[in-house]
Structures are given as C-alpha cells and as structure tokens.
Amino acid sequence: MSIRVLCLSLLLLLGVAPAASAADGWSLVPVGGGRPSFYGEGAPGTVLEDSVSVINRSGGPVTVRLRGAGVTFADGTLRVPGRTRADVPFTVTVPAADRMVEIVARDADGRERSVGIRLRVALPELSALTVEHVAVRGDGIAYELVNRGTTTLVPKLAVRADGVFDRPLDRTPRTLPVDLPPGSRTKLTEPWPDRPALDAVDVRLTVTAAGGASDTARVSARFVPWDAVAAVGGALVAVGALFVVRHRRRRKPHGGEVAGAERTLAEAELTGAGT
C-alpha cells in the first residue's frame, strides 16, 4: 500500500512539473547560458555587442517586443514558435559613468520579462596631480594636492626654500601619510618652526607619485621681526621728542632777552631819558 502511495506521489510531482514549466511560457536570458545578466566595460562611447535569447517553452508561438535604454536590437519584434529559442543580437554604448540598463521583452498579453546589463566605465590608467594654493602661514607652509588622474596616488613631497642669505629649508622627498583617490582634493600643511626671522625667501614644493605624476609650485615670502621694528621705531620717536623739547628750551632764554630789551627801550622813551 505504501509503495502505491509513493508511486502516486511521484506521478503527481511529475505532472505538476510540466505544468509549472508551461506556466512560465517564455523567458528572456543572455545567450551562452550560465549568465544571470549582462556585463560590459570600456571607455565612454565604446560600442559593445552581445545577444539575448527569447526561449519559448510553450507549445504555441509567442510574439515579443524588445526595448532597452540605449540598446539597439537587430530585430526589435520577433515571433518565436513553440519550444524554440530565438537569439537576438544587440549593441549598447558605454556611458560616461557606470550605469545599469535593462532589456525588457513584452508579449501580446502584456507579460514582461527583463534582464539587466551592467555597464562599467573602464578608463585608461592615468597618473597625474597638481600642487595648488601654496602659502606660508605661521610656522608652516599650507598647500593643496589634487589628483587629476584615474588611479589612487600615494604622493611624496620635497621642500626647498632659497633666501637672500642662505638656504633655510631643504627637505628631501618623503612619503606623505595620505592616499589620494581619483578626483580628490586634500589640504595639508608642512611644518616650518625654525623659519628665518629676517629674510626674503622663494619656497618650492615638489610632489611626485607612482606612474610619473609630478608637479611643482612656488611662493615667495618675506620675514620681518616686527616686534624689533616696533621697539626701534618707539625708540626713534622718543629720541625725536627729546630733541624737540631741548630745542624749545634753548630758544626760550633768547626770546626773554629780546623782550626785556624792548621793555627797557619803551621805558626810556616814556621818561624822556636820553643816552
């Protein structure tokens, strides 16, 4: 009895399986089998070619229309006989940025099937960077690094400053503790605690990275000890003020003598005294 029940169960399962397959009717898959979706890469504007399959598992024919953003089909509408597979070539253009596109097939009853196309922009490896906005501020040299290429960079920095009297700064290339992704901009400061007190210098920053990336930026700076200048200026002002005071004191006695002589002469004229 148990054997008969098992056999009946198997027959029921076998009967359901074809029904489920027939319910699927038709499907849309990449040509070649084993691929759940399409994948393509290339430089922007590259035209890629591939094919998509419409598989009709039913006993009767099915007519489908194909569409996809940016996708051109060799045949956008096709009739697929029962138990038949039709392969449709198509082309798609790689956009300027990574993108996901869908190929959609629709039958006369409005049923749709779709398969994705992942498009990846593959740019040529380019190593390039620039040094910008260099300025001497406080006890350091501020600057910005910009990755102008398509690869991540680990830059090296060399710094040199030439002054009127000597070379106050000369540092050989060393690796900076930063990673620069493509298109990134990073602000950095190079310490310079022992900068000169009095000098005029030309500062040069040279940055290099793997792949031949290199750039140099320059900036001029003038160092003046303003505290000392202010002290000297104050001393000069004090000396000048003292000189003016002394000069005025010297002129007062002479002025008094002249005034006294004028008064004596006036008194003589009033009394009628003669000489």
Side-chain angles (χ1 to χ4, degrees):
M1 181 67 178
S2 59
I3 296 178
R4 290 182 180 180
V5 172
L6 178 60
C7 292
L8 180 58
S9 299
L10 288 174
L11 289 175
L12 289 174
L13 289 174
L14 291 176
V16 170
S21 179
D24 290 340
W26 57 275
S27 61
L28 187 71
V29 297
V31 167
R35 293 187 294 171
S37 60
F38 294 97
Y39 174 83
E41 65 178 42
T46 302
V47 178
L48 305 178
E49 299 180 355
D50 211 321
S51 297
V52 64
S53 293
V54 178
I55 302 175
N56 184 5
R57 295 186 180 86
S58 66
V62 61
T63 299
V64 299
R65 294 175 60 87
L66 299 172
R67 70 177 189 274
V71 182
T72 302
F73 301 96
D75 190 354
T77 302
L78 64 155
R79 183 176 181 276
V80 184
R83 297 183 177 84
T84 304
R85 186 188 76 185
D87 298 338
V88 183
F90 67 87
T91 60
V92 62
T93 302
V94 178
D98 294 355
R99 185 180 178 188
M100 192 70 182
V101 177
E102 271 194 338
I103 295 177
V104 180
R106 182 185 179 92
D107 65 12
D109 296 327
R111 293 175 298 182
E112 291 186 348
R113 307 287 187 269
S114 64
V115 60
I117 306 176
R118 182 186 175 190
L119 297 174
R120 180 178 180 273
V121 178
L123 297 174
E125 290 191 359
L126 174 63
S127 180
L129 57 79
T130 56
V131 187
E132 302 177 3
H133 304 142
V134 180
V136 178
R137 299 172 183 166
D139 292 334
I141 306 170
Y143 62 99
E144 293 184 15
L145 295 182
V146 185
N147 188 341
R148 303 289 184 181
T150 60
T151 61
T152 299
L153 301 177
V154 180
K156 292 184 177 180
L157 173 69
V159 186
R160 173 174 168 176
D162 294 312
V164 176
F165 307 106
D166 59 3
R167 182 176 296 166
L169 185 61
D170 191 2
R171 296 176 183 172
T172 57
R174 77 178 193 283
T175 301
L176 297 176
V178 296
D179 291 340
L180 294 178
S184 65
R185 177 184 294 269
T186 302
K187 295 182 179 181
L188 300 169
T189 299
E190 179 70 8
W192 193 7
D194 55 345
R195 67 180 193 173
L198 176 63
D199 205 349
V201 299
D202 291 325
V203 181
R204 182 177 67 184
L205 274 64
T206 301
V207 180
T208 58
S214 177
D215 191 33
T216 298
R218 294 176 172 83
V219 67
S220 297
R222 304 293 180 263
F223 300 109
V224 179
W226 292 111
D227 293 341
V229 170
V232 172
L236 292 176
V237 170
V239 171
L242 181 61
F243 174 79
V244 171
V245 171
R246 289 183 177 180
H247 180 68
R248 288 180 177 177
R249 287 179 178 177
R250 289 176 181 176
R251 292 184 62 186
K252 283 182 180 180
H254 178 71
E257 292 175 359
V258 172
E262 290 177 350
R263 285 196 298 270
T264 301
L265 181 59
E267 290 174 356
E269 290 177 350
L270 292 173
T271 59
T275 55

